[in-house]
Amino acid sequence: MEALIALVIGVLTAGGVFLALRGQTFPVVLGLTLMSYAVNLFLFVMGRLAIGVPPVISDAAQGYTDPLPQALVLTAIVISFGMTAFVIVLSLKARAELGNDHVDGHHEDSPEGRH
Amino acid sequence: MTLFFAVMTPFVGAALVALASRFGRSHSAWAAGAVTLAALALLAPSAHLPFAGEMLIQQRDWIPALGLNLSFRLDGLALLFAGLILGIGLLIVLYARYYLSERDSMGRFYSYLMLFMGSMLGIVLSENLIQLLIFWELTSLSSFLLISYWQHREEARHGARMALAVTGLGGFAMLGGFLLLGHIVGSYELSDVFASGDLIREHPLYVPTLLLILLGVFTKSAQFPFHFWLPHAMAAPTPVSAYLHSATMVKAGVFLLARLWPVLSGTPEWFWLVSGAGLATLLLGAYVALFKHDLKGLLAYSTISHLGLITLLFGLSTPLAAVAGVFHIINHAIFKASLFMAAGIIDHESGTRDMRRLNGLWKFMPYTATLAMVAAAAMAGVPLMNGFLSKEMFFAEAVHIAEGHIGGWLLPALVTLAGAFAVAYSIRFIHDVFFNGEPVDLPKTPHEPPRWMKVPVEILVVLCLVVGIAPALTVAPLLAVAAEGTLQAALPEYHLALWHGINPALVMSLFALVGGALLYLSRHPLTAWHERTLDRIDARIAFNALQDGLFALSRGITRLIDTGSLQRQVFLFLLAALTLGIVPWLANDTPLTGNREGLPLDAVSLIAAGALIVATFATVWWHRQRFIALITIGVVGLVVSLAFIKFSAPDLALTQLSVEIVTIVLLLLALYFLPQQAAPEKDRGRVWRDGVIALVAGSGAAALAWAVLTRPYDTIAGYFLENSKPGGGGTNVVNVILVDFRGYDTLGEITVLALAGLGIVALLQGLQLNAPSRDAAGRSWDADAHPAIMATLTRILLPLALLVAVFILLRGHNQPGGGFIAGLITAVALIVQYLANGAAWTHQRMASDSHPMIAWGLGIATFTGLASWAFDHPFLTSTFGYMNWPVVGKFELASAMVFDLGVFLVVVGATLMILTGLGSLHRGEPRTKEAR
């Protein structure tokens, strides 16, 4: 199971990195979203994998998994939503102001070319 | 903690004063006066202590682990300065009321003035050095605001920036000096520092410590060669100059010389550095002052010169010289404040400060002229004035120090020369302005100022006289305690009197008076010579060159690393991160796999993971078909939430699920305005390059995760699991951590979310985007924007969804749920209404502005934190109890649940604000009928 989770984290990271390197804003936003999945999962499994032992105190519980990474990741999820929203609005603003959706503010085939 | 409250009063007062200005122009002046009096009243009960030979020290732990305490001390020196700051401050408040014109904002002026006053009080009353430095920097910042008060004037902005740059640099050096001092002594408390004088002076780090601290002192007190900022600070309104350059700002530097005199002085390094800089400044300031045509320019250089005099006295290192230094601090504050005020009156009533045009004002304002004459006589050191007494002591010390040394005549000769220049520029101040023929082309016909504008000057001038005539009856006790506070030892033998018999000091005074008169008579050839030669040398040119050089350097560095291409930046960043990750890995031969036993693999997990991997590849593959990519990335998010459920994290699964919905709605909205398809990339090489980077990054992340997951670890979770129920009153440990154990973090996080929401609203302001009338395949949108079935169903669902949210919120402390999740569910429920029924329909039924909700949320969360202060507990300490409600039964109430309510409101408010802001971008865009 650990190998599977590691594989999943790796695939998400690779996909996120590849998309983050694209030239248009939308794939970059998608890439950032994939990367935040990867990072959140990674942080979460720092508490190691455990099945059926949620950190909710009760007499019937057989044990508890580590609650600390969960608390960390919970707020991380909400903050990454805020960040994604901000980046999206930034890209819309750039589209409106610059007339295209390239991350550097110009088309690849525009006269000034790529840097 | 009366001292603490006295220091804080002006800071709190700054806000009150600004508020008071809403009710009328005079109200903020009254409020500022009341604030100053309140600070005085807080100090008054302790004022007798230094006179009784006691010292008041008040301490409170702040960050004890770093040796930082909130600690205040009231000894003689602190008392003297606090009295000067508040006393002269009060006069300035009165004076400024009449000085400022209708166009100037009273509230802004007085609130800056209060900020500055509080910072100065903080410096002089501090017992802890680091705390002192914080107030020191605050004076730099608040004086920046005061100097640049007339923001529309270029010279005001420039002068303020220069003052901030120079004093800020000095403050930075001083931080270094204080850290070294703390390192030598082992404590930042002044009492401990005073007890270690010998240790400090013999320490190998003494010289660097001294240099750094002196750099701070010299920049603040405008000592040569850092004096050039002070004349440029004259662009400030005159009440500000009168305050900053008589009793406060520049006196902070000499205050620190006096404060640290017992531990740092007495060494050759101190003697040469401090008295050398003081002597140079004394001479330079006195010389230049004579040639300034601007009334305030003359006073500025005279201030520089007198600061040099005080510095020189402290540099001489004898106790008697230090007493004279303290005495001159008092006298200079009194006469210089009155002179600046008089200059302000002249400027105010005649419209100019140029002494080549201001002549013969005696017949227009004889009363003001008389006041100015007395004050100028004090500045010149004429007998019967306070300035004479301290100048006599200064001359006597100069002779005493130089006695028996080769070339011992040099120091007395130089200080007599400086004295002569002081007499000359004082005569010029009076003779040029009030006599010397007729005024030349004045903008206004001068007349006496309003009654109350003169009162502060009168008070100060009377002080000049009574101190000068009967020192033993007036200033002597205050001087004695202040000098004792400076020396931190018994006072030397000295005698305050007008007549000491005929001695060298008196002879030097006579020489200075006669020499000054001669210098004034020969001012025309001297001025011509000065303007041909030395006037061309201006330290400002060097400062500007240095500043331009630094700007050019930083621009060069920025251009070097920032190419303006995000793609390239990201590429370089990833490359650097990968290199930093891989290199240590290669150098290390620890096996990748650890020895922790893993969980068995099961079919469901395998299928889910397979779906996730396929969906990720699909997202990457179809990222140009953006709508498809959106669907596949939704699958990824869904599987991630399943993973959270599987591995015992129900809270995370709920959060991820609701965030997923909101994110997809958001991306859909964005896609509406962005191109829905993109052309394939032409540069195949780049695709391959990025593919390789992605592969390496992914493998690295996977390997890292694998290495961690196969190793056992120690956790601090035990503490939280044990204390969650008994300490926090909740069984859902994750929620208790969020709202209780780490409540401070959560408060920060919801603030970030709120700021993101506000930032987005700001970005969306005035944003115009063309919504396409057709989709990517050329099909027009459905004519039925809000299908009836969906609209009806969502309306029925709304109360249910809200009920679920309330349930999730309430049970969050004990079962999976809580403010974050409930907030997201509520936001989803409301957004569905927007989607199904349209913004117009929804806004008729619900307030469209979510700002208040965010404000309430943050307010409630902060207030719950503050409430624990009322019970003497640290910020955000929670409490809980159980009560029996009818029908419901036993029910828990915890203050943390109120906090969670704040979290809930912020999440709902921010999410709604973001999505409705984006959704309403195309509102008003006419739907094209023919496009159907």
Side-chain angles (χ1 to χ4, degrees), chain B residues 796-807 822 825-826 828-830 833:
Chain B
I796 298 171
L797 267 177
L798 179 67
L800 279 174
L802 291 181
L803 196 65
V804 169
V806 172
F807 172 66
I825 292 176
T826 308
V828 170
L830 293 174
Q833 303 308 309

Side-chain angles (χ1 to χ4, degrees), chain B residues 433-590:
Chain B
V433 174
F434 295 111
F435 307 100
N436 201 22
E438 291 299 309
V440 185
D441 187 22
L442 290 184
K444 298 188 207 171
T445 309
H447 55 80
E448 289 284 356
R451 176 85 201 88
W452 289 98
M453 200 169 177
K454 282 180 296 193
V455 168
V457 193
E458 285 164 3
I459 294 174
L460 292 167
V461 164
V462 167
L463 281 176
C464 284
L465 279 168
V466 296
V467 169
I469 295 168
L473 298 177
T474 50
V475 79
L478 181 63
L479 175 61
V481 290
E484 226 167 46
T486 306
L487 304 177
Q488 298 288 321
L491 287 176
E493 185 86 14
Y494 68 91
H495 189 57
L496 283 188
L498 198 50
W499 180 249
H500 284 282
I502 296 176
N503 54 18
L506 189 69
V507 177
M508 285 160 76
S509 274
L510 286 176
F511 266 111
L513 282 172
V514 176
L518 291 176
L519 277 174
Y520 180 69
L521 288 177
S522 49
R523 67 190 182 282
H524 294 303
L526 276 177
T527 309
W529 181 81
H530 171 75
E531 280 171 359
R532 262 201 324 277
T533 53
L534 295 177
D535 200 28
R536 311 257 168 103
I537 306 168
D538 189 351
R540 186 178 56 149
I541 297 165
F543 174 82
N544 284 342
L546 185 69
Q547 184 180 285
D548 292 346
L550 281 175
F551 280 149
L553 181 70
S554 53
R555 263 195 300 272
I557 294 175
T558 310
R559 262 200 298 273
L560 200 66
I561 50 180
D562 178 12
T563 53
S565 161
L566 180 75
Q567 253 182 311
R568 168 169 291 201
Q569 287 308 94
V570 174
F571 171 69
L572 290 177
F573 171 74
L574 285 169
L575 211 61
L578 288 178
T579 317
L580 287 176
I582 290 171
V583 169
W585 201 329
L586 292 178
N588 194 333
D589 54 357
T590 318

Side-chain angles (χ1 to χ4, degrees), chain B residues 666-679:
Chain B
L666 187 72
L667 286 171
L668 265 175
L669 273 173
L671 196 53
Y672 183 55
F673 297 108
L674 288 171
Q676 280 150 41
Q677 278 178 341

Side-chain angles (χ1 to χ4, degrees), chain B residues 127 158 189 192 195 218 233 362 579 618 628 642 673 744 786 795:
Chain B
E127 156 79 356
H158 187 256
E189 302 293 303
D192 299 328
F218 288 172
W362 170 262
T579 317
I628 299 177
L642 288 177
F673 297 108
Y744 214 158
H786 307 298
R795 287 176 210 178

Side-chain angles (χ1 to χ4, degrees), chain A residues 1-31 33-35 37 40-42 44-58 64-79 81-97 101-104 108-109 114-115, chain B residues 565-568 570-571 574 596 598-602 605-606 609 612-613 616 620 623 626 629 633 636-637 644 646-652 655-656 659-660 662-663 666-667 670-671 673-675 681-683 686-687 690-691 693-694 697-698 701-702 704-706 708-709 711-713 715-717 720-721 731 733-734 737-738 749 753 756 759-760 763-765 767-769 814 820 911 914 918:
Chain A
M1 190 71 89
E2 274 78 4
L4 191 64
I5 292 295
L7 178 68
V8 163
I9 291 173
V11 169
L12 286 173
T13 311
V17 165
F18 183 80
L19 288 182
L21 283 165
R22 296 305 91 211
Q24 273 94 31
T25 49
F26 196 77
V28 172
V29 173
L30 290 182
T33 311
L34 283 182
M35 266 202 258
Y37 290 142
N40 287 344
L41 264 183
F42 184 81
F44 166 62
V45 300
M46 287 303 101
R48 303 302 186 274
L49 302 182
I51 296 174
V53 282
V56 177
I57 310 286
S58 82
Y64 306 107
T65 183
D66 195 336
L68 209 53
Q70 296 196 13
L72 259 174
V73 171
L74 199 151
T75 49
I77 294 173
V78 180
I79 296 281
F81 161 69
M83 185 203 66
T84 309
F86 198 86
V87 175
I88 285 176
V89 173
L90 211 55
S91 66
L92 287 182
K93 185 88 175 173
R95 170 106 208 266
E97 305 255 312
D101 70 334
H102 194 274
V103 287
D104 297 342
E108 295 204 344
D109 49 5
R114 266 179 296 147
H115 288 290
Chain B
S565 161
L566 180 75
Q567 253 182 311
R568 168 169 291 201
V570 174
F571 171 69
L574 285 169
R596 184 176 179 270
L599 291 174
L601 201 60
D602 60 89
S605 306
L606 203 59
L612 182 139
I613 291 169
T616 309
V620 172
H623 75 263
R626 295 175 170 181
I633 205 169
V636 177
F644 287 141
K646 172 89 180 168
F647 300 113
S648 322
D651 284 281
L652 290 192
T655 315
Q656 181 69 59
V659 162
E660 201 50 47
V662 186
T663 311
L666 187 72
L667 286 171
L671 196 53
F673 297 108
L674 288 171
E681 276 177 81
K682 280 174 261 170
D683 189 350
R686 168 168 287 205
V687 174
D690 294 350
I693 289 182
L704 201 59
W706 170 252
V708 174
L709 285 175
R711 283 174 165 77
Y713 80 123
T715 172
I716 53 169
F720 297 106
L721 291 166
T731 53
V733 187
V734 174
I737 291 176
L738 285 177
E749 265 142 352
L753 193 64
I760 285 170
L763 277 177
L764 291 176
Q765 293 268 310
L767 185 58
Q768 289 282 321
L769 282 169
N814 293 309
F820 277 112
T911 314
I914 293 167
L918 208 50

